[in-house]
Amino acid sequence: MIKKFIKPVLIFIPLALLQLTIVPFISYQNISPDLLIILIVYYTLLNGRLFGTVLGFILGIIFDLVSGGLLGSTAFAYALSAFITGYFYNEKKIHSNLNSLIFSLLVLLAASIEIFLISVLTLTRTNLSIVYLIFNGGVIPGFYTAFLSLFLLVFKPKKRMAE
Amino acid sequence: MFSIIKRFIYEFKEYIVLAVLLTISLLLLSLNEQSAIRGVKRISFGSFAFITSTFDNLITSEKTADAELRRRNAELMLQLNKFRRFKSENEKLKSLLSFRDTTGYPFESTRVISRLLSVSEGNLILNSGRKDSVTKGMPVINDKGLIGIITDVTKNFSLVRLMLNSSFKVSVEDQRSGVDGILVWNGRELFMKNVPTTYDLEVGDRVITSDYSTIVPPAIPVGLITKKQTTVTGMLSDIVVTPFVDFSSIEYVFVVKIVPSKQVDSLELNLFRND
């Protein structure tokens, strides 16, 4: 079980690097995609809800630590969104879930929840409406992330995704 | 009994794990300001910043002449702002006796190696730290204006809390009328909250840091007033300020090497120490 975590944690390093250096340049009005949630959704659909939840928590803690963000916020959001994504885990449908648009739709769902949760947890004072927060602090960055996950579907190594 | 508990745990293990992990996360959230947690965070972002810095070096290259021009730009920005302020105060026949010189601060020119930009949180990690005499509390600017403030420092790197961060607030003033207010980030825009509608604040006015600020020196440009939103009662307004700095494309910045006051009641607020 523990060995299973090594690979995603290793993939996390270059992704976190991209998230903190390149992604801000493609953000618009603080709306930016979250590359790490794509990784978490992928491994949740591959290994199940329990694995995804724990992985989300671990990667969230590491990301909070290395990014200088509020410790616990990303861990909370990743763990919960991986848990919700885990409802769509099906041992018999791993291949189809990872190789179709379902994957991007689940990335959309998970990213929207995760980014919204982070916004809610880290905003200490705001007069923004909940609708604004759901859309600008959740759904729109979620769409952006889901759009990027399409590249994974298009350019993925066929054999590995089908594992 | 034991077997029932065992079966319960087995049956609901995913929910139990989730509950435990979420509880730990919330606990950590509440402990963020503890010195032990801050210490762990400092070590972590400092270590990862080495990787980020190496990666950043590969994708960017800075020419010495460019760096010098940027520094000169920032100095001129502060100087220009000083003259604008002179003009404004002269017009109002104010005494300039208490006017503080905001130019001539020592700058530390540095590069941004990592950015965390979200609706609620904005942080940067800079390629300068204790070895460059950067300390916690120093303001960070570029040639456009104020960016944020140093909140944590390691030997080689420092963490900046941007103005676009809901836990950042700064005392500002309207450069034309001298009206003061507190600028905060609400997740969408920078605004001065609950300003009486009778105050002389107009759309298009320049907003600068105020003399009352204990964390940043006065007269650093912040932004332009772009909207006045009057509340339902009509007594108060929220003043929306659009920052001069484009936060999504910051690459090079300057740390202003002044040490902010810890004693608010100290009249000079210690803002002019150049050491």
Side-chain angles (χ1 to χ4, degrees):
Chain A
M1 181 74 170
I2 292 170
K3 275 185 184 171
K4 275 186 175 178
F5 285 99
I6 296 172
K7 200 173 166 188
V9 170
L10 287 176
I11 298 171
F12 163 84
I13 298 168
L15 274 185
L17 212 57
L18 287 176
Q19 184 69 34
L20 293 171
T21 53
I22 307 293
V23 166
F25 289 109
I26 57 167
S27 74
Y28 177 71
Q29 293 193 338
N30 286 352
I31 293 169
S32 44
D34 188 343
L35 303 181
L36 300 170
I37 196 71
I38 301 175
L39 178 74
I40 292 166
V41 169
Y42 180 83
Y43 276 96
T44 305
L45 294 176
L46 197 65
N47 295 321
R49 186 160 62 179
L50 185 62
F51 181 89
T53 309
V54 177
L55 180 73
F57 176 78
I58 294 170
L59 297 189
I61 288 282
I62 302 174
F63 188 72
D64 283 335
L65 285 171
V66 300
S67 67
L70 206 58
L71 186 63
S73 58
T74 315
F76 184 97
Y78 280 172
L80 193 55
S81 49
F83 183 82
I84 294 166
T85 309
Y87 278 107
F88 299 90
Y89 168 73
N90 186 335
E91 227 171 324
K92 291 169 189 165
K93 289 184 179 174
I94 292 174
H95 176 80
S96 61
N97 281 345
L98 291 175
N99 289 285
S100 63
L101 271 179
I102 295 172
F103 177 68
S104 289
L105 288 173
L106 290 176
V107 168
L108 167 65
L109 175 76
S112 303
I113 293 168
E114 174 255 317
I115 298 167
F116 170 71
L117 283 172
I118 292 179
S119 303
V120 170
L121 287 170
T122 53
L123 265 178
T124 52
R125 65 181 83 83
T126 185
N127 53 357
L128 297 179
S129 68
I130 192 78
V131 178
Y132 178 87
L133 272 179
I134 288 171
F135 278 90
N136 284 52
V139 176
I140 298 174
F143 267 106
Y144 201 167
T145 311
F147 172 72
L148 290 187
S149 74
L150 289 173
F151 288 92
L152 187 69
L153 286 180
V154 176
F155 298 109
K156 67 185 183 288
K158 292 275 181 196
K159 273 185 183 172
R160 302 193 72 147
M161 290 290 281
E163 267 172 14
Chain B
M1 182 68 182
F2 184 70
S3 66
I4 295 171
I5 295 171
K6 210 172 159 185
R7 195 167 353 130
F8 177 82
I9 291 172
Y10 184 77
E11 201 110 319
F12 295 99
K13 64 180 177 199
E14 289 171 346
Y15 292 90
I16 294 166
V17 168
L18 178 73
V20 170
L21 296 181
L22 295 188
T23 310
I24 295 171
S25 305
L26 291 174
L27 207 64
L28 287 171
L29 266 170
S30 66
L31 296 174
N32 257 272
E33 292 307 313
Q34 297 277 318
S35 58
I37 298 283
R38 290 184 76 93
V40 174
K41 280 173 76 175
R42 197 175 303 128
I43 293 166
S44 310
F45 89 75
S47 312
F48 195 72
F50 269 113
I51 307 172
T52 322
S53 161
T54 313
F55 180 71
D56 198 58
N57 280 336
L58 293 173
I59 57 171
T60 57
S61 61
E62 185 191 19
K63 289 177 186 162
T64 319
D66 290 351
E68 189 46 46
L69 278 175
R70 262 192 296 277
R71 175 193 293 274
R72 189 72 193 127
N73 250 353
E75 283 168 358
L76 287 172
M77 177 270 292
L78 289 181
Q79 220 160 30
L80 175 67
N81 219 50
K82 177 186 161 188
F83 293 138
R84 278 205 183 103
R85 199 172 188 211
F86 270 135
K87 181 175 171 275
S88 163
E89 294 198 351
N90 275 330
E91 280 168 1
K92 288 188 277 178
L93 301 173
K94 274 186 177 172
S95 164
L96 295 176
L97 286 174
S98 60
F99 185 75
R100 297 177 188 170
D101 189 5
T102 57
T103 57
Y105 293 134
F107 284 159
E108 171 65 25
S109 173
T110 185
R111 209 178 67 239
V112 177
I113 56 167
S114 130
R115 302 156 192 81
L116 176 66
L117 291 175
S118 70
V119 167
S120 51
E121 242 190 332
N123 290 322
L124 299 178
I125 294 176
L126 306 181
N127 200 18
S128 293
R130 270 198 305 274
K131 68 171 174 35
D132 310 292
S133 312
V134 172
T135 59
K136 191 176 163 184
M138 287 178 171
V140 178
I141 63 166
N142 69 1
D143 57 332
K144 302 280 189 300
L146 183 66
I147 289 173
I149 195 150
I150 303 278
T151 54
D152 228 329
V153 185
T154 67
K155 190 183 167 198
N156 297 298
F157 305 102
S158 44
L159 181 69
V160 181
R161 184 174 293 165
L162 296 181
M163 283 202 294
L164 310 189
N165 189 313
S166 62
S167 50
F168 183 91
K169 52 184 174 180
V170 63
S171 178
V172 292
E173 68 176 45
D174 183 304
Q175 193 164 26
R176 181 185 55 82
S177 64
V179 170
D180 290 289
I182 303 287
L183 195 71
V184 292
W185 169 250
N186 69 355
R188 178 170 51 180
E189 50 207 6
L190 285 166
F191 74 111
M192 294 155 74
K193 196 171 167 62
N194 294 337
V195 179
T197 44
T198 51
Y199 280 18
D200 183 13
L201 291 164
E202 297 296 335
V203 170
D205 283 357
R206 288 169 62 86
V207 173
I208 58 173
T209 53
S210 142
D211 286 323
Y212 296 124
S213 175
T214 56
I215 53 168
V216 286
I220 292 181
V222 173
L224 284 179
I225 295 178
T226 47
K227 212 190 308 175
K228 274 176 90 171
Q229 296 167 330
T230 306
T231 55
V232 183
T233 57
M235 306 285 281
L236 300 167
S237 295
D238 286 345
I239 309 295
V240 177
V241 175
T242 302
F244 289 126
V245 176
D246 177 5
F247 289 90
S248 62
S249 61
I250 305 169
E251 281 188 79
Y252 298 95
V253 298
F254 298 98
V255 179
V256 186
K257 287 185 172 174
I258 59 155
V259 182
S261 169
K262 285 184 179 147
Q263 300 266 318
V264 178
D265 57 358
S266 160
L267 286 175
E268 278 306 310
L269 297 176
N270 197 22
L271 285 174
F272 305 101
R273 277 175 45 181
N274 284 351
D275 52 352

